[in-house]
Amino acid sequence: MRQKFSIFAAALREVFFACPRYHTAMAICLLVTGLMPAMNVYATGQMIALFNHSQAQHAILTTLGIWGVSMLLPSLLEPLVNYLQTHINQLVTNSVINKLMAKNASFNGLQVYDDTNIQDDIAVLKSQSKFRPTNFMVNLVNLTRETVTVAALFAMLFSIKWWIPFAILLAATPLAYANFQVMSFSWRALISSGKQSRLMDYFASLAFSRETQKDSHLFNANPLIVDKYQQAFKQVYSELQQAQFKIFSKPIPFQIIAVVVLSLVLFALYQQAAVAAITLSSAVVLLQSIMMLNNRLESVIQTSSLTYEILDYFEKYFAFLAYEENIIDGNLSIQRIERIEFIHVGFTYPNTDKPILKNISFSARKGESIAIVGHNGAGKSTLVSLICRFWDVSEGQILINGENIKAYKISELRACMGAVFQDFAKFTMTINENIMLNHQPAPNQQAVKQELGLLPTTSLDTLIGRAFDGVELSGGQWQKLAVLRCMNATSSLIILDEPTSAIDPKAEIKLYDAFRQLSTGKLSFMITHRLGSINSVDRVLVIDQGSLVQDGDPTILKQETGVFKELWLTQAAMYE
């Protein structure tokens, strides 16, 4: 329970400081509107008591004024409360999503994206972030207002018959406990269905994604996609259905207890009225207050239990913000990469047993252009991922400029690199933004247009990608765009991972000419299956089943018995 109070305090700070001025104004409005029901009941009782006094005209007018204010003020403040609540909801949601995005951007490595448990949590946080923080604020608004009303009614009833409010409160306690229990169960059911919910999102995206439509229609994959979606849905629905049944059924016995206690209180009140132990005005105040207190207590219980459930969201939210990955930033600065050395490097992906790289050792200096070749799954892309420090080595070490790669500031290390990855990103943004990845215009705009095959009149501020009615590029144009992004980087290390898979041979020759010019005086690595492109490199590293089996001049390796010659002759035979 102490942990829940701690989370509640943290969540309250989180939402309050998202828009403190709006929250302060809201608090004042809620305090005023929360007092109005008790004031109305009090004024009603006073008017009934004064109706039998013909000389109490001034007092009647004053009481009527209080009664009128208690009726009018909530109506006048309601539009202001709605206005404030709308702004608070938007600003709080924006703050939460921004912090989730900032935390996601702070991850240095890729492990968090391969960890299915973390991805399940992220899926829940993303899907719930649009309404859980908002619901928290809505519930807090209602809870604050109802609590003020309950406190005022409690004080009024206590002043007339001290035991009545305590009896009603005691009867409501088991109901409150039951509601908190079922809401906690509801959240656990939501969390347990996280993986299946992600599967639902995935199969729904497959059904509507343009990229999958050719295969889906050609091979009639839509029935399978729909069936897989339905399987995931049935599991999610089953778990949530059980939770909803508990929410419906568990509080019923406690609601019956509360009604029985309330009936006993009303019967006791009737007996006292029968023997003239209380006045008519007091009886009216008591009846109104008892019914109102009971209703408002039920509202407080329901709202509190909903808030309690939302605290489970914030618990996961704060845990995500506090999550520490295992790729720790270093302290050393770096401006250029002069030399890279792998010393007995081994690597195994987390939660797997099969080593991807085994005992890799080599060194490379600036000015060298190096091709990395091998069969599919040999570990080539993993090797360059270690250079980018998307992962840390499992064995051995990587030295850059003579220092362990872990010692450098990651942001400065990556600023020394330019890369075109095999699975390069396609950003649905402008051409300028795709190249620069900031708000600056790309240099040599006409050369960019010519390279992409665009008309001279085309603006590089044109949105690309059909998702938001932008201009669609061909696969080759997208790849050229990724290459332009790499070439624009002021880097001392260049990495090309299958950079020509989507472009024609003529464009490929042009790309490699540009690559040679760009890599002059720099260190460059190129992963390729097209061995004809390696004639221009200085060295070839041959990776086979995770081991470095050959390292040398491509001209010499063509003549030596080994994996490289086997690959070379296999490809050469395809063109005979």
Side-chain angles (χ1 to χ4, degrees):
M1 185 58 70
R2 181 180 297 178
Q3 184 184 12
K4 287 295 183 183
F5 278 117
S6 176
I7 295 170
F8 177 79
L12 196 58
R13 288 193 298 271
E14 187 81 11
V15 299
F16 178 80
F17 287 109
C19 44
R21 289 184 299 174
Y22 284 120
H23 279 111
T24 302
M26 176 71 83
I28 295 171
C29 290
L30 294 179
L31 181 62
V32 173
T33 55
L35 290 171
M36 290 304 102
M39 184 185 293
N40 182 268
V41 171
Y42 171 78
T44 301
Q46 289 296 102
M47 283 192 295
I48 292 173
L50 291 172
F51 282 161
N52 296 324
H53 296 79
S54 58
Q55 304 301 319
Q57 184 174 359
H58 177 73
I60 280 286
L61 290 176
T62 303
T63 306
L64 276 173
I66 295 172
W67 183 86
V69 168
S70 70
M71 293 292 291
L72 182 61
L73 204 54
S75 299
L76 293 177
L77 288 177
E78 184 176 0
L80 177 59
V81 169
N82 291 337
Y83 169 82
L84 293 171
Q85 188 168 306
T86 298
H87 283 274
I88 288 171
N89 292 345
Q90 295 293 328
L91 293 172
V92 168
T93 301
N94 179 65
S95 175
V96 167
I97 293 176
N98 271 332
K99 289 190 176 182
L100 289 174
M101 292 173 66
K103 179 62 181 181
N104 184 71
S106 73
F107 294 132
N108 295 314
L110 299 180
Q111 181 175 350
V112 68
Y113 303 101
D114 288 346
D115 189 319
T116 56
N117 292 326
I118 296 176
Q119 288 304 305
D120 288 344
D121 289 347
I122 291 174
V124 170
L125 289 172
K126 282 168 51 184
S127 65
Q128 303 289 305
S129 64
K130 295 180 181 178
F131 60 89
R132 288 283 173 176
T134 297
N135 288 351
F136 182 73
M137 279 312 307
V138 171
N139 289 335
L140 273 185
V141 167
N142 293 331
L143 184 60
T144 303
R145 181 164 45 208
E146 298 298 335
T147 301
V148 171
T149 300
V150 165
L153 291 170
F154 191 96
M156 184 182 302
L157 283 170
F158 183 85
S159 67
I160 300 173
K161 291 291 180 183
W162 68 267
W163 58 271
I164 293 178
F166 284 107
I168 296 173
L169 186 62
L170 185 63
T173 302
L175 179 61
Y177 177 78
N179 272 279
F180 282 114
Q181 288 292 308
V182 296
M183 286 304 173
S184 181
F185 177 81
S186 173
W187 173 258
R188 290 196 300 272
L190 179 65
I191 294 301
S192 66
S193 64
K195 182 177 181 180
Q196 297 303 318
S197 295
R198 277 206 300 134
L199 283 173
M200 285 174 60
D201 291 340
Y202 171 70
F203 290 122
S205 68
L206 285 184
F208 295 104
S209 172
R210 184 182 185 279
E211 284 72 17
T212 62
Q213 295 309 307
K214 292 180 182 178
D215 290 277
S216 294
H217 285 83
L218 184 62
F219 299 104
N220 194 28
N222 284 306
L224 175 63
I225 292 171
V226 172
D227 182 62
K228 300 286 282 185
Y229 175 88
Q230 287 298 326
Q231 289 179 23
F233 168 77
K234 287 177 181 177
Q235 187 164 341
V236 171
Y237 180 71
S238 175
E239 292 176 359
L240 296 182
Q241 189 179 37
Q242 293 177 31
Q244 290 300 318
F245 179 76
K246 283 199 173 185
I247 291 173
F248 163 73
S249 61
K250 192 168 184 177
I252 291 177
F254 303 103
Q255 289 172 329
I256 294 173
I257 292 172
V259 170
V260 170
V261 172
L262 181 61
S263 300
L264 292 174
V265 169
L266 292 175
F267 182 73
L269 181 61
Y270 163 76
Q271 286 185 319
Q272 294 200 8
V275 297
I278 56 174
T279 64
L280 177 62
S281 61
S282 295
V284 171
V285 170
L286 279 169
L287 284 171
Q288 279 194 313
S289 300
I290 288 171
M291 299 306 296
M292 190 176 293
L293 178 60
N294 183 67
N295 291 337
R296 295 305 171 91
L297 263 179
E298 285 190 2
S299 178
V300 166
I301 291 170
Q302 183 66 24
T303 307
S304 297
S305 60
L306 290 171
T307 305
Y308 184 84
E309 182 197 16
I310 295 172
L311 290 182
D312 290 324
Y313 169 85
F314 276 103
E315 182 177 6
K316 193 165 288 292
Y317 168 75
F318 290 127
F320 177 72
L321 294 185
Y323 176 81
E324 296 290 341
E325 63 175 338
N326 57 2
I327 297 185
I328 309 301
D329 206 1
N331 298 315
L332 288 182
S333 292
I334 183 170
Q335 282 74 46
R336 287 185 59 83
I337 295 176
E338 305 283 345
R339 185 173 74 260
I340 293 178
E341 187 175 3
F342 275 55
I343 303 176
H344 304 298
V345 169
F347 178 75
T348 302
Y349 283 104
N351 303 317
T352 62
D353 298 325
K354 181 182 177 182
I356 302 300
L357 296 176
K358 296 172 285 188
N359 198 31
I360 300 287
S361 295
F362 70 90
S363 61
R365 296 177 176 274
K366 74 172 184 178
E368 281 191 291
S369 57
I370 301 173
I372 305 174
V373 303
H375 296 288
N376 287 333
K380 304 183 296 296
S381 294
T382 300
L383 188 146
V384 296
S385 291
L386 294 177
I387 295 174
C388 296
R389 216 184 158 204
F390 294 140
W391 302 91
D392 277 338
V393 299
S394 305
E395 300 173 359
Q397 59 180 331
I398 299 174
L399 303 183
I400 292 186
N401 298 349
E403 296 285 348
N404 193 306
I405 191 173
K406 297 179 183 179
Y408 291 109
K409 296 177 181 177
I410 293 177
S411 60
E412 292 187 11
L413 178 68
R414 290 175 181 166
C416 297
M417 303 176 182
V420 181
F421 295 108
Q422 189 173 3
D423 52 349
F424 62 88
K426 299 178 181 180
F427 298 100
T428 304
M429 296 187 285
T430 68
I431 299 173
N432 273 323
E433 289 167 339
N434 264 275
I435 295 172
M436 304 298 293
L437 292 181
N438 56 39
H439 296 294
Q440 301 300 317
N444 304 318
Q445 302 243 326
Q446 289 303 319
V448 170
K449 296 175 187 178
Q450 184 176 358
E451 183 66 29
L452 295 176
L454 303 175
L455 295 174
T457 55
T458 303
S459 170
L460 295 191
D461 287 322
T462 299
L463 182 69
I464 52 177
R466 290 183 179 174
F468 300 102
D469 296 326
V471 175
E472 185 56 73
L473 300 182
S474 67
Q477 286 175 309
W478 275 112
Q479 194 155 37
K480 288 178 181 178
L481 198 60
V483 172
L484 287 169
R485 185 187 306 148
C486 168
M487 291 182 174
N488 180 65
T490 55
S491 55
S492 52
L493 170 66
I494 298 173
I495 297 171
L496 300 182
D497 187 354
E498 291 292 342
T500 61
S501 58
I503 57 179
D504 59 66
K506 185 176 180 180
E508 182 179 357
I509 293 172
K510 186 177 179 181
L511 170 63
Y512 285 124
D513 287 340
F515 174 62
R516 280 191 292 271
Q517 295 176 15
L518 180 66
S519 59
T520 301
K522 301 178 181 180
L523 174 58
S524 60
F525 290 96
M526 176 178 65
I527 298 174
T528 182
H529 286 101
R530 298 186 184 184
L531 299 188
S533 63
I534 66 169
N535 290 320
S536 59
V537 301
D538 302 314
R539 287 170 62 190
V540 176
L541 302 179
V542 183
I543 309 294
D544 189 47
Q545 298 182 9
S547 298
L548 178 60
V549 294
Q550 290 180 285
D551 177 3
D553 185 290
T555 305
I556 297 174
L557 292 182
K558 292 175 189 176
Q559 309 303 320
E560 293 182 352
T561 301
V563 175
F564 182 80
K565 183 177 181 180
E566 173 193 336
L567 293 172
W568 177 267
L569 293 176
T570 300
Q571 286 202 13
M574 294 174 61
Y575 295 97
E576 293 178 355

